[in-house]
Amino acid sequence: GPADTVLAAVQRLPMGHWLHWTADRLLLQRYAQIAPEPLRDNEDFAAGFRERFLAAVDARALGTADLGAMLSGGLDSSSSVSAIGRRGVGEGAPLRTFSFAYPRSPALDESDYAASVLAEYPVVSDFVSMDNFAPLEGLADLADGSDDLFFAPGLPKITSLLARARKACVRVMLDGHGGDEVVSFGYGRLADLARQRRWATLYHELRGVAAESGRRAEPMLIDAMLSQGLLGRLRSRVAPRRSTAGPGSLALLNLDFARSQDLAERMRQSGETYRLA
């Protein structure tokens, strides 16, 4: 659960809670809880989302000095920058944006998408070259600082952008990271529907995926039914469990440790969650 850590005897404080500890007792109590705002009758979902999104950005941006924003050129960060740019940031320095750039690697470079947003608004942009950036640079320090497992392969690169923002005296930073999951629950919802065998709802969602991805919904549905339906259950019972470290990611780990933790099987189970992605 949310309070679990990598150590069985250690738990983290749940979000929105405070803890009071004395020699006599341990008191854990919630001080805040986010409740969904009730929808108005016959509310237009698109208009309602736009209204709430702009209000959320304004609450963080208007009147804030030394404001910065990540800008990848994707929908999430571009929407945040556009929401600020539509009315400016009020008093103080103009909005500063920070973007990755791969000038010597055109296949990786998405600067044109960010530039198309920047062309619309009076902001100060900063493109940080990643061509000479080592993918694992600084990862050990980040892992030590987290005191727990984390899955963020791009975190060292993001840290480099935040360091550039700090040098530019930015004090508040907006980021679009995680917008997909917040708005649409991410592709993990498809796997959840398949595990629950809610085939009609899954097909409805897959038709939406098909409209965006160009893939057909029917083959994706068949794949989900083969994986999570009756045949999938029979296959999981008959197929032998893989408990030895194999190639790929596990090759980076100590083999004895990988075997003792049954990492190959655990990674296989984890991968099934995102198979439909």
Side-chain angles (χ1 to χ4, degrees):
D4 294 336
T5 69
V6 294
L7 302 176
V10 177
Q11 290 189 312
R12 63 169 57 88
L13 191 65
M15 291 183 290
H17 286 71
W18 60 264
L19 182 146
H20 183 229
W21 175 77
T22 67
D24 300 322
R25 67 171 184 166
L26 179 67
L27 178 62
L28 180 65
Q29 193 167 16
R30 179 185 289 275
Y31 67 83
Q33 184 171 9
I34 298 177
E37 181 180 341
L39 297 176
R40 297 185 293 270
D41 291 340
N42 301 318
E43 180 174 355
D44 183 308
F45 283 3
F49 175 81
R50 176 182 173 83
E51 174 187 337
R52 292 169 175 82
F53 172 72
L54 294 178
V57 173
D58 285 348
R60 291 155 178 81
L62 294 181
T64 301
D66 304 322
L67 181 67
M70 298 287 200
L71 179 58
S72 67
L75 292 177
D76 305 329
S77 61
S78 296
S79 296
S80 297
V81 171
S82 298
I84 300 171
R86 83 191 195 283
R87 59 189 303 173
V89 295
E91 299 178 357
L95 173 68
R96 300 184 67 102
T97 63
F98 299 85
S99 309
F100 295 131
Y102 298 85
R104 297 202 304 270
S105 305
L108 301 176
D109 193 67
E110 298 182 345
S111 301
D112 288 346
Y113 296 106
S116 65
V117 178
L118 296 171
E120 299 294 325
Y121 307 107
V123 302
V124 178
S125 61
D126 192 345
F127 287 84
V128 182
S129 175
M130 294 285 116
D131 276 329
N132 297 320
F133 187 85
L136 301 182
E137 183 178 337
L139 187 59
D141 294 335
L142 293 171
D144 289 342
S146 71
D147 290 328
D148 204 348
L149 296 177
F150 66 92
F151 179 71
L155 192 56
K157 293 199 305 180
I158 294 175
T159 302
S160 69
L161 254 65
L162 294 176
R164 182 71 69 91
R166 188 184 303 113
K167 290 182 179 179
C169 299
V170 169
R171 299 178 60 192
V172 177
M173 194 77 160
L174 299 182
D175 190 5
H177 182 74
D180 297 343
E181 291 80 1
V182 171
V183 173
S184 68
F185 301 102
Y187 282 105
R189 171 156 172 77
L190 303 179
D192 288 339
L193 293 174
R195 280 193 296 269
Q196 297 166 12
R197 296 172 183 83
R198 297 170 57 186
W199 306 121
T201 304
L202 176 60
Y203 180 63
H204 175 77
E205 297 291 343
L206 287 174
R207 291 180 64 185
V209 172
E212 295 295 329
S213 66
R215 301 168 60 189
R216 294 179 56 214
E218 291 76 10
M220 290 190 286
L221 178 64
I222 293 173
D223 181 63
M225 297 179 75
L226 291 175
S227 174
Q228 301 293 342
L230 178 60
L231 181 59
R233 294 203 303 270
L234 291 175
R235 184 175 59 186
S236 64
R237 293 185 179 184
V238 174
R241 288 171 55 87
R242 297 169 54 195
S243 59
T244 59
S249 301
L250 294 183
L252 300 174
L253 302 177
N254 180 280
L255 291 180
D256 292 335
F257 173 78
R259 293 191 185 99
S260 68
Q261 301 299 316
D262 199 12
L263 289 183
E265 173 62 17
R266 291 165 67 178
M267 290 180 66
R268 183 193 66 79
Q269 293 177 357
S270 176
E272 287 185 355
T273 302
Y274 300 99
R275 184 175 180 182
L276 292 175

